[in-house]
Amino acid sequence: MPLKVEFLFDFGSPNAYLAELVLPGIEWRTGVKFEYVPVLLGGIFKGTGNMSPFDSLRGIKNKPEYQALETQRFIRRHNITKFRQNPFFPVNTLMLMRGAVAAQFEGVFEPYFRAAYHHMWEEPKKMDDLETFRNAFTSSGIDIDRLIARAQQDDVKKGLIDRTTDAVNRGAFGSPTFFVGKEMFFGKDQLRDVEESIVEQTSQLVSKTA
């Protein structure tokens, strides 16, 4: 069987946005395709007792500034030009993430995904406001009313809950999280290790079938 490689994301995480921009290069170099898994970061935090850096670093001296420096280094290293801080951060992403599951079920995930990240981190908006949410996706050519209706159905709600619960059960505590087979990696700064693991595990699979 081919190696299973997963990207667990929540649109509310700027680090997940930045990491995702690097994934196509890893796919091209290794020949794998990442499976994109929507999870609800708030649910992961609740399930693990974790909290976002926005909350955990409040009042701490030096560490937030260093993390901002590391982010700028990552942006320069990968020549990222479209990223903008969202002035409404943090944003409640329940609508966005249910929409992602609905879009997967309806076969329109790729355009929905691109539009969501565009309106969160490239032309940032308050995407937990329903009118803003609807107008943003409509401007990107998405039939968002259909997805909003679909997102209210029980299978979509359960799908997001199940993906989030499974993530916690497998060891996740934030976003972005990556799985290469059963091996977990957290954070955009682990992408070089993710790629190394893909190469190593792919080589092992080839050796076993040779």
Side-chain angles (χ1 to χ4, degrees), residues 140-177:
S140 294
I142 306 295
D143 185 358
I144 194 60
D145 287 329
R146 178 167 70 98
L147 289 179
I148 288 172
R150 186 71 176 86
Q152 299 307 308
Q153 297 179 7
D154 288 343
D155 60 336
V156 171
K157 293 179 180 179
K158 183 177 184 299
L160 182 58
I161 291 170
D162 288 348
R163 287 162 173 78
T164 302
T165 301
D166 180 65
V168 171
N169 289 342
R170 295 166 70 190
F173 53 87
S175 173
T177 295

mmCIF file of all heavy atoms in Angstrom, residues 140-177:
data_model
loop_
_atom_site.group_PDB
_atom_site.id
_atom_site.type_symbol
_atom_site.label_atom_id
_atom_site.label_comp_id
_atom_site.label_asym_id
_atom_site.label_seq_id
_atom_site.Cartn_x
_atom_site.Cartn_y
_atom_site.Cartn_z
ATOM 1 N N SER A 140 -15.583 34.709 -4.372
ATOM 2 C CA SER A 140 -14.616 33.758 -4.916
ATOM 3 C C SER A 140 -15.279 32.709 -5.812
ATOM 4 O O SER A 140 -14.627 31.730 -6.200
ATOM 5 C CB SER A 140 -13.857 33.060 -3.778
ATOM 6 O OG SER A 140 -13.047 33.985 -3.080
ATOM 7 N N GLY A 141 -16.556 32.900 -6.109
ATOM 8 C CA GLY A 141 -17.246 31.995 -7.019
ATOM 9 C C GLY A 141 -17.721 30.700 -6.393
ATOM 10 O O GLY A 141 -18.018 29.731 -7.105
ATOM 11 N N ILE A 142 -17.809 30.660 -5.069
ATOM 12 C CA ILE A 142 -18.261 29.459 -4.361
ATOM 13 C C ILE A 142 -19.771 29.550 -4.121
ATOM 14 O O ILE A 142 -20.274 30.594 -3.702
ATOM 15 C CB ILE A 142 -17.540 29.317 -3.001
ATOM 16 C CG1 ILE A 142 -16.014 29.372 -3.184
ATOM 17 C CG2 ILE A 142 -17.973 28.039 -2.286
ATOM 18 C CD1 ILE A 142 -15.430 28.245 -3.965
ATOM 19 N N ASP A 143 -20.482 28.446 -4.378
ATOM 20 C CA ASP A 143 -21.911 28.373 -4.057
ATOM 21 C C ASP A 143 -22.038 28.146 -2.551
ATOM 22 O O ASP A 143 -22.320 27.046 -2.085
ATOM 23 C CB ASP A 143 -22.565 27.246 -4.851
ATOM 24 C CG ASP A 143 -24.087 27.187 -4.658
ATOM 25 O OD1 ASP A 143 -24.621 28.009 -3.873
ATOM 26 O OD2 ASP A 143 -24.725 26.313 -5.269
ATOM 27 N N ILE A 144 -21.808 29.205 -1.803
ATOM 28 C CA ILE A 144 -21.650 29.054 -0.361
ATOM 29 C C ILE A 144 -22.971 28.760 0.336
ATOM 30 O O ILE A 144 -22.985 28.073 1.363
ATOM 31 C CB ILE A 144 -20.964 30.295 0.254
ATOM 32 C CG1 ILE A 144 -20.493 30.000 1.682
ATOM 33 C CG2 ILE A 144 -21.883 31.503 0.176
ATOM 34 C CD1 ILE A 144 -19.505 28.868 1.787
ATOM 35 N N ASP A 145 -24.087 29.231 -0.192
ATOM 36 C CA ASP A 145 -25.368 28.925 0.450
ATOM 37 C C ASP A 145 -25.636 27.424 0.442
ATOM 38 O O ASP A 145 -26.176 26.883 1.410
ATOM 39 C CB ASP A 145 -26.504 29.680 -0.238
ATOM 40 C CG ASP A 145 -26.490 31.177 0.094
ATOM 41 O OD1 ASP A 145 -26.067 31.523 1.211
ATOM 42 O OD2 ASP A 145 -26.889 31.973 -0.758
ATOM 43 N N ARG A 146 -25.254 26.755 -0.637
ATOM 44 C CA ARG A 146 -25.412 25.295 -0.692
ATOM 45 C C ARG A 146 -24.537 24.630 0.363
ATOM 46 O O ARG A 146 -24.966 23.690 1.055
ATOM 47 C CB ARG A 146 -25.045 24.782 -2.084
ATOM 48 C CG ARG A 146 -25.137 23.263 -2.226
ATOM 49 C CD ARG A 146 -25.076 22.849 -3.680
ATOM 50 N NE ARG A 146 -23.764 23.049 -4.270
ATOM 51 C CZ ARG A 146 -22.858 22.069 -4.405
ATOM 52 N NH1 ARG A 146 -23.120 20.839 -3.972
ATOM 53 N NH2 ARG A 146 -21.699 22.306 -4.966
ATOM 54 N N LEU A 147 -23.305 25.112 0.522
ATOM 55 C CA LEU A 147 -22.410 24.511 1.509
ATOM 56 C C LEU A 147 -22.826 24.849 2.930
ATOM 57 O O LEU A 147 -22.669 24.022 3.838
ATOM 58 C CB LEU A 147 -20.976 24.966 1.252
ATOM 59 C CG LEU A 147 -20.303 24.381 0.008
ATOM 60 C CD1 LEU A 147 -18.890 24.921 -0.139
ATOM 61 C CD2 LEU A 147 -20.282 22.852 0.060
ATOM 62 N N ILE A 148 -23.364 26.063 3.146
ATOM 63 C CA ILE A 148 -23.858 26.411 4.479
ATOM 64 C C ILE A 148 -24.981 25.461 4.879
ATOM 65 O O ILE A 148 -25.026 24.957 6.014
ATOM 66 C CB ILE A 148 -24.334 27.874 4.523
ATOM 67 C CG1 ILE A 148 -23.130 28.829 4.467
ATOM 68 C CG2 ILE A 148 -25.155 28.145 5.785
ATOM 69 C CD1 ILE A 148 -23.510 30.297 4.319
ATOM 70 N N ALA A 149 -25.894 25.203 3.946
ATOM 71 C CA ALA A 149 -26.997 24.272 4.224
ATOM 72 C C ALA A 149 -26.468 22.866 4.466
ATOM 73 O O ALA A 149 -26.914 22.169 5.389
ATOM 74 C CB ALA A 149 -27.984 24.283 3.069
ATOM 75 N N ARG A 150 -25.503 22.448 3.642
ATOM 76 C CA ARG A 150 -24.934 21.104 3.786
ATOM 77 C C ARG A 150 -24.206 20.963 5.120
ATOM 78 O O ARG A 150 -24.240 19.894 5.756
ATOM 79 C CB ARG A 150 -23.959 20.858 2.633
ATOM 80 C CG ARG A 150 -23.398 19.431 2.585
ATOM 81 C CD ARG A 150 -24.451 18.431 2.157
ATOM 82 N NE ARG A 150 -23.884 17.104 2.017
ATOM 83 C CZ ARG A 150 -23.753 16.231 3.010
ATOM 84 N NH1 ARG A 150 -24.164 16.555 4.245
ATOM 85 N NH2 ARG A 150 -23.244 15.034 2.796
ATOM 86 N N ALA A 151 -23.580 22.037 5.555
ATOM 87 C CA ALA A 151 -22.799 21.998 6.788
ATOM 88 C C ALA A 151 -23.670 21.830 8.026
ATOM 89 O O ALA A 151 -23.158 21.472 9.098
ATOM 90 C CB ALA A 151 -21.951 23.256 6.914
ATOM 91 N N GLN A 152 -24.960 22.076 7.903
ATOM 92 C CA GLN A 152 -25.876 21.912 9.034
ATOM 93 C C GLN A 152 -26.368 20.485 9.186
ATOM 94 O O GLN A 152 -27.044 20.160 10.169
ATOM 95 C CB GLN A 152 -27.067 22.866 8.889
ATOM 96 C CG GLN A 152 -26.691 24.335 8.868
ATOM 97 C CD GLN A 152 -25.828 24.723 10.056
ATOM 98 O OE1 GLN A 152 -26.174 24.453 11.193
ATOM 99 N NE2 GLN A 152 -24.697 25.360 9.783
ATOM 100 N N GLN A 153 -26.046 19.632 8.244
ATOM 101 C CA GLN A 153 -26.524 18.255 8.290
ATOM 102 C C GLN A 153 -25.665 17.414 9.230
ATOM 103 O O GLN A 153 -24.471 17.674 9.418
ATOM 104 C CB GLN A 153 -26.562 17.664 6.884
ATOM 105 C CG GLN A 153 -27.554 18.398 5.972
ATOM 106 C CD GLN A 153 -27.594 17.844 4.575
ATOM 107 O OE1 GLN A 153 -26.985 16.829 4.269
ATOM 108 N NE2 GLN A 153 -28.336 18.513 3.697
ATOM 109 N N ASP A 154 -26.308 16.427 9.812
ATOM 110 C CA ASP A 154 -25.670 15.669 10.893
ATOM 111 C C ASP A 154 -24.391 14.960 10.463
ATOM 112 O O ASP A 154 -23.443 14.858 11.257
ATOM 113 C CB ASP A 154 -26.655 14.645 11.465
ATOM 114 C CG ASP A 154 -27.763 15.293 12.278
ATOM 115 O OD1 ASP A 154 -27.597 16.480 12.661
ATOM 116 O OD2 ASP A 154 -28.793 14.630 12.531
ATOM 117 N N ASP A 155 -24.327 14.458 9.212
ATOM 118 C CA ASP A 155 -23.139 13.720 8.805
ATOM 119 C C ASP A 155 -21.917 14.632 8.714
ATOM 120 O O ASP A 155 -20.789 14.210 8.992
ATOM 121 C CB ASP A 155 -23.363 12.972 7.492
ATOM 122 C CG ASP A 155 -23.708 13.894 6.338
ATOM 123 O OD1 ASP A 155 -24.216 15.008 6.566
ATOM 124 O OD2 ASP A 155 -23.484 13.490 5.172
ATOM 125 N N VAL A 156 -22.143 15.906 8.352
ATOM 126 C CA VAL A 156 -21.036 16.853 8.303
ATOM 127 C C VAL A 156 -20.581 17.198 9.716
ATOM 128 O O VAL A 156 -19.381 17.188 10.021
ATOM 129 C CB VAL A 156 -21.433 18.126 7.534
ATOM 130 C CG1 VAL A 156 -20.362 19.201 7.679
ATOM 131 C CG2 VAL A 156 -21.671 17.802 6.065
ATOM 132 N N LYS A 157 -21.529 17.499 10.590
ATOM 133 C CA LYS A 157 -21.174 17.817 11.970
ATOM 134 C C LYS A 157 -20.429 16.660 12.621
ATOM 135 O O LYS A 157 -19.403 16.857 13.283
ATOM 136 C CB LYS A 157 -22.433 18.151 12.769
ATOM 137 C CG LYS A 157 -23.129 19.436 12.331
ATOM 138 C CD LYS A 157 -24.378 19.685 13.164
ATOM 139 C CE LYS A 157 -25.087 20.960 12.756
ATOM 140 N NZ LYS A 157 -26.314 21.206 13.553
ATOM 141 N N LYS A 158 -20.947 15.452 12.415
ATOM 142 C CA LYS A 158 -20.297 14.273 12.983
ATOM 143 C C LYS A 158 -18.931 14.054 12.344
ATOM 144 O O LYS A 158 -17.968 13.654 13.021
ATOM 145 C CB LYS A 158 -21.167 13.040 12.775
ATOM 146 C CG LYS A 158 -20.608 11.756 13.398
ATOM 147 C CD LYS A 158 -21.556 10.590 13.227
ATOM 148 C CE LYS A 158 -21.044 9.337 13.940
ATOM 149 N NZ LYS A 158 -19.729 8.885 13.399
ATOM 150 N N GLY A 159 -18.822 14.334 11.037
ATOM 151 C CA GLY A 159 -17.552 14.155 10.350
ATOM 152 C C GLY A 159 -16.458 15.022 10.945
ATOM 153 O O GLY A 159 -15.326 14.566 11.134
ATOM 154 N N LEU A 160 -16.787 16.261 11.267
ATOM 155 C CA LEU A 160 -15.789 17.146 11.868
ATOM 156 C C LEU A 160 -15.447 16.708 13.283
ATOM 157 O O LEU A 160 -14.269 16.704 13.674
ATOM 158 C CB LEU A 160 -16.301 18.588 11.869
ATOM 159 C CG LEU A 160 -15.334 19.634 12.433
ATOM 160 C CD1 LEU A 160 -14.021 19.644 11.663
ATOM 161 C CD2 LEU A 160 -15.979 21.021 12.420
ATOM 162 N N ILE A 161 -16.455 16.316 14.037
ATOM 163 C CA ILE A 161 -16.208 15.821 15.395
ATOM 164 C C ILE A 161 -15.323 14.579 15.358
ATOM 165 O O ILE A 161 -14.361 14.457 16.129
ATOM 166 C CB ILE A 161 -17.533 15.519 16.116
ATOM 167 C CG1 ILE A 161 -18.295 16.818 16.410
ATOM 168 C CG2 ILE A 161 -17.285 14.753 17.421
ATOM 169 C CD1 ILE A 161 -19.710 16.602 16.909
ATOM 170 N N ASP A 162 -15.632 13.656 14.469
ATOM 171 C CA ASP A 162 -14.866 12.412 14.383
ATOM 172 C C ASP A 162 -13.413 12.671 13.994
ATOM 173 O O ASP A 162 -12.491 12.065 14.558
ATOM 174 C CB ASP A 162 -15.503 11.464 13.371
ATOM 175 C CG ASP A 162 -16.817 10.865 13.859
ATOM 176 O OD1 ASP A 162 -17.119 11.003 15.061
ATOM 177 O OD2 ASP A 162 -17.534 10.265 13.034
ATOM 178 N N ARG A 163 -13.188 13.565 13.040
ATOM 179 C CA ARG A 163 -11.822 13.873 12.618
ATOM 180 C C ARG A 163 -11.039 14.529 13.757
ATOM 181 O O ARG A 163 -9.858 14.237 13.951
ATOM 182 C CB ARG A 163 -11.845 14.798 11.395
ATOM 183 C CG ARG A 163 -12.272 14.110 10.098
ATOM 184 C CD ARG A 163 -12.694 15.127 9.054
ATOM 185 N NE ARG A 163 -12.965 14.543 7.744
ATOM 186 C CZ ARG A 163 -14.064 13.893 7.431
ATOM 187 N NH1 ARG A 163 -15.010 13.709 8.346
ATOM 188 N NH2 ARG A 163 -14.236 13.401 6.202
ATOM 189 N N THR A 164 -11.720 15.384 14.498
ATOM 190 C CA THR A 164 -11.066 16.069 15.609
ATOM 191 C C THR A 164 -10.754 15.102 16.744
ATOM 192 O O THR A 164 -9.646 15.116 17.300
ATOM 193 C CB THR A 164 -11.972 17.205 16.115
ATOM 194 O OG1 THR A 164 -12.245 18.114 15.031
ATOM 195 C CG2 THR A 164 -11.324 17.962 17.246
ATOM 196 N N THR A 165 -11.708 14.248 17.075
ATOM 197 C CA THR A 165 -11.502 13.255 18.137
ATOM 198 C C THR A 165 -10.390 12.291 17.764
ATOM 199 O O THR A 165 -9.532 11.951 18.592
ATOM 200 C CB THR A 165 -12.801 12.484 18.404
ATOM 201 O OG1 THR A 165 -13.830 13.394 18.783
ATOM 202 C CG2 THR A 165 -12.614 11.452 19.502
ATOM 203 N N ASP A 166 -10.387 11.850 16.507
ATOM 204 C CA ASP A 166 -9.341 10.940 16.042
ATOM 205 C C ASP A 166 -7.970 11.594 16.132
ATOM 206 O O ASP A 166 -6.984 10.944 16.516
ATOM 207 C CB ASP A 166 -9.631 10.511 14.601
ATOM 208 C CG ASP A 166 -8.584 9.559 14.054
ATOM 209 O OD1 ASP A 166 -8.472 8.437 14.584
ATOM 210 O OD2 ASP A 166 -7.862 9.940 13.105
ATOM 211 N N ALA A 167 -7.904 12.878 15.801
ATOM 212 C CA ALA A 167 -6.631 13.593 15.887
ATOM 213 C C ALA A 167 -6.097 13.580 17.319
ATOM 214 O O ALA A 167 -4.911 13.314 17.552
ATOM 215 C CB ALA A 167 -6.798 15.027 15.390
ATOM 216 N N VAL A 168 -6.968 13.885 18.285
ATOM 217 C CA VAL A 168 -6.561 13.873 19.690
ATOM 218 C C VAL A 168 -6.124 12.478 20.115
ATOM 219 O O VAL A 168 -5.092 12.300 20.779
ATOM 220 C CB VAL A 168 -7.697 14.390 20.590
ATOM 221 C CG1 VAL A 168 -7.370 14.188 22.064
ATOM 222 C CG2 VAL A 168 -7.978 15.872 20.304
ATOM 223 N N ASN A 169 -6.887 11.473 19.709
ATOM 224 C CA ASN A 169 -6.562 10.100 20.090
ATOM 225 C C ASN A 169 -5.226 9.649 19.518
ATOM 226 O O ASN A 169 -4.552 8.779 20.091
ATOM 227 C CB ASN A 169 -7.670 9.156 19.626
ATOM 228 C CG ASN A 169 -8.957 9.322 20.430
ATOM 229 O OD1 ASN A 169 -8.940 9.887 21.526
ATOM 230 N ND2 ASN A 169 -10.066 8.856 19.888
ATOM 231 N N ARG A 170 -4.823 10.224 18.424
ATOM 232 C CA ARG A 170 -3.553 9.857 17.781
ATOM 233 C C ARG A 170 -2.388 10.709 18.272
ATOM 234 O O ARG A 170 -1.252 10.504 17.844
ATOM 235 C CB ARG A 170 -3.681 9.968 16.266
ATOM 236 C CG ARG A 170 -4.673 8.977 15.675
ATOM 237 C CD ARG A 170 -5.029 9.352 14.245
ATOM 238 N NE ARG A 170 -3.915 9.154 13.339
ATOM 239 C CZ ARG A 170 -3.908 9.591 12.067
ATOM 240 N NH1 ARG A 170 -4.942 10.254 11.594
ATOM 241 N NH2 ARG A 170 -2.872 9.367 11.302
ATOM 242 N N GLY A 171 -2.662 11.661 19.157
ATOM 243 C CA GLY A 171 -1.579 12.426 19.761
ATOM 244 C C GLY A 171 -1.542 13.893 19.407
ATOM 245 O O GLY A 171 -0.683 14.624 19.903
ATOM 246 N N ALA A 172 -2.452 14.379 18.562
ATOM 247 C CA ALA A 172 -2.415 15.782 18.146
ATOM 248 C C ALA A 172 -2.803 16.701 19.297
ATOM 249 O O ALA A 172 -3.633 16.362 20.140
ATOM 250 C CB ALA A 172 -3.349 16.007 16.962
ATOM 251 N N PHE A 173 -2.210 17.895 19.300
ATOM 252 C CA PHE A 173 -2.539 18.891 20.320
ATOM 253 C C PHE A 173 -2.642 20.290 19.726
ATOM 254 O O PHE A 173 -2.846 21.257 20.444
ATOM 255 C CB PHE A 173 -1.490 18.887 21.443
ATOM 256 C CG PHE A 173 -0.072 19.022 20.943
ATOM 257 C CD1 PHE A 173 0.486 20.277 20.724
ATOM 258 C CD2 PHE A 173 0.687 17.899 20.668
ATOM 259 C CE1 PHE A 173 1.780 20.410 20.249
ATOM 260 C CE2 PHE A 173 1.988 18.018 20.200
ATOM 261 C CZ PHE A 173 2.535 19.279 19.996
ATOM 262 N N GLY A 174 -2.490 20.402 18.399
ATOM 263 C CA GLY A 174 -2.572 21.699 17.745
ATOM 264 C C GLY A 174 -2.566 21.553 16.242
ATOM 265 O O GLY A 174 -2.713 20.453 15.708
ATOM 266 N N SER A 175 -2.392 22.675 15.541
ATOM 267 C CA SER A 175 -2.382 22.699 14.081
ATOM 268 C C SER A 175 -1.309 23.671 13.623
ATOM 269 O O SER A 175 -1.183 24.768 14.204
ATOM 270 C CB SER A 175 -3.754 23.130 13.555
ATOM 271 O OG SER A 175 -3.745 23.318 12.153
ATOM 272 N N PRO A 176 -0.491 23.270 12.634
ATOM 273 C CA PRO A 176 -0.644 22.091 11.788
ATOM 274 C C PRO A 176 0.001 20.854 12.406
ATOM 275 O O PRO A 176 1.042 20.932 13.045
ATOM 276 C CB PRO A 176 0.110 22.482 10.514
ATOM 277 C CG PRO A 176 1.210 23.382 11.011
ATOM 278 C CD PRO A 176 0.596 24.164 12.149
ATOM 279 N N THR A 177 -0.653 19.724 12.193
ATOM 280 C CA THR A 177 -0.115 18.428 12.576
ATOM 281 C C THR A 177 0.005 17.581 11.318
ATOM 282 O O THR A 177 -0.869 17.629 10.443
ATOM 283 C CB THR A 177 -1.017 17.732 13.599
ATOM 284 O OG1 THR A 177 -1.027 18.505 14.809
ATOM 285 C CG2 THR A 177 -0.532 16.327 13.912
#
